[in-house]
Amino acid sequence: MPCFEFNPSLATRQDDGRCVHCRKFLTLECPYIGHFVSEEYE
């Protein structure tokens, strides 16, 4: 996602640019939280 912000508490080698390593992943700061929540219920 263009909004990806790496979580600095993780090791640099884990920065693959994916949401799972974004500091906003599954938080209210994530502009796509609705997308992730809806996937969980499908």
Side-chain angles (χ1 to χ4, degrees):
M1 299 275 189
C3 56
F4 173 79
E5 289 185 28
F6 182 64
N7 185 339
S9 66
L10 300 173
T12 304
R13 69 183 190 290
Q14 293 180 298
D15 187 355
D16 57 4
R18 299 187 68 177
C19 292
V20 72
H21 292 147
C22 180
R23 70 174 190 82
K24 297 180 178 182
F25 184 57
L26 298 180
T27 70
L28 295 177
E29 291 180 48
C30 175
Y32 299 99
I33 189 68
H35 171 75
F36 293 114
V37 171
S38 66
E39 281 184 355
E40 183 69 27
Y41 292 104
E42 289 181 356

